[in-house]
Amino acid sequence: MKFFIDTANLEQIKEAQDLGVLDGVTTNPSLMAKEGISGEENVINHYKAICAIVDGDVSAEVISTEFEGMIKEGEALAALDSKIVVKVPMTKDGVKAIKYFSKKGIKTNCTLVFSAGQALLAAKAGATYVSPFIGRLDDISVDGLGLIEEIREIYDNYGFETQILAASVRHSAHILGCAKIGADVMTGPLSAILALLKHPLTDSGLAQFLADHAKAAGK
C-alpha cells in the first residue's frame, strides 16, 4: 500500500519523505488556506515546491465546478510537473472531465467519493485514483472501511486499473484497516503515519536494553 500525506505543510512533507515511506502527497484548497497560501501565483509556486520534495504523485485540486473550467485549470496544473495528478470532484461535470483527461493521458484523482456507485462511475471514466472519504463517513456513523471493501470487490470483479486511495484517514487503525482490505493508497496526516511507530512494549524494551547496556558498560 502506498503512503500519501494529506497536507500542504512543507516541513511535514519533508519529515515524511525523510522517514523513507512517503509515496506521494494530496492537497486541497482548504489545506492550502491552512498554510496561508493564497493567490494563484503563490498556489502554483507551492505546488512546485511540493513536487521538488517528493518522488511520487502530487494531487492538485481544481476549483471550478463547471466542465470547461475544470479542463482549463486541470491542463494548467498538469503542465506544472509530471508528478501532478489533477484532483476533480465527484460530480457530473467532474466525471466528464475525468474522461477528457484520461483520453489526454493526464492523471486524475476523483475526490469526495462516498459511495460504491460513485467509485464505479469514476473507474468507468478512467480515473487514475478514486478517493473515498472514510473518516467523514465514520463521522456520520457510516462504516468508512466498509466502503473500501465494497469498492475493492467491484474493482477486482472487472479488473479496473483505478487505484483506491483511502482519504480522510484519521488514525493508525484506519491505515491498518485499509491495508487489510487491500486499498492501493492511503492518505492521511503525518500524525497517523508516525503513530504506526508506537507500541508501549517497544518503548519499555528499548529502555531496558539501554539500561542493561549502561550497567554492563559501567562494570
Side-chain angles (χ1 to χ4, degrees), residues 72-84:
K72 183 179 179 180
E73 289 179 39
E75 288 183 332
L77 288 170
L80 295 177
D81 194 287
S82 61
K83 299 171 187 174
I84 292 289

Side-chain angles (χ1 to χ4, degrees), residues 57 78 82-87 101 105-109 128-129:
D57 288 344
S82 61
K83 299 171 187 174
I84 292 289
V85 177
V86 180
K87 204 172 182 182
F101 289 133
I106 294 173
K107 295 176 289 187
T108 55
N109 177 356
T128 310
Y129 299 98

Side-chain angles (χ1 to χ4, degrees), residues 2-188:
K2 296 177 185 176
F3 276 38
F4 287 7
I5 186 171
D6 192 36
T7 186
N9 184 288
L10 297 181
E11 291 305 316
Q12 291 184 7
I13 293 170
K14 289 175 183 175
E15 185 175 348
Q17 177 73 9
D18 289 344
L19 188 61
V21 299
L22 189 65
D23 298 295
V25 176
T26 55
T27 59
N28 59 47
S30 297
L31 292 171
M32 284 285 188
K34 185 177 179 181
E35 298 303 319
I37 309 299
S38 62
E40 183 177 353
E41 185 177 353
N42 289 332
V43 169
I44 287 173
N45 287 335
H46 204 72
Y47 280 133
K48 289 180 178 178
I50 292 172
C51 288
I53 296 170
V54 301
D55 299 323
D57 288 344
V58 176
S59 286
E61 190 164 346
V62 299
I63 305 299
S64 178
T65 58
E66 303 296 331
F67 175 76
E68 290 79 9
M70 290 180 185
I71 298 307
K72 183 179 179 180
E73 289 179 39
E75 288 183 332
L77 288 170
L80 295 177
D81 194 287
S82 61
K83 299 171 187 174
I84 292 289
V85 177
V86 180
K87 204 172 182 182
V88 179
M90 169 40 70
T91 62
K92 185 177 179 180
D93 279 8
V95 171
K96 289 169 61 178
I98 288 168
K99 186 65 176 181
Y100 173 89
F101 289 133
S102 177
K103 288 182 177 179
K104 293 285 186 177
I106 294 173
K107 295 176 289 187
T108 55
N109 177 356
C110 185
T111 190
L112 292 172
V113 169
F114 294 96
S115 75
Q118 291 177 326
L120 178 57
L121 285 174
K124 288 284 289 180
T128 310
Y129 299 98
V130 62
S131 291
F133 278 42
I134 61 176
R136 293 196 192 183
L137 285 172
D138 286 356
D139 289 345
I140 60 169
S141 300
V142 176
D143 184 9
L145 289 174
L147 175 58
I148 302 296
E149 286 186 298
E150 287 185 72
I151 298 171
R152 180 78 278 160
E153 181 178 1
I154 291 170
Y155 282 13
D156 288 349
N157 281 347
Y158 299 102
F160 285 122
E161 295 183 2
T162 299
Q163 296 182 55
I164 302 171
L165 193 164
S168 189
V169 164
R170 302 280 174 77
H171 43 68
S172 58
H174 272 158
I175 297 175
L176 293 175
C178 289
K180 290 176 183 177
I181 294 165
D184 300 289
V185 190
M186 83 85 209
T187 188

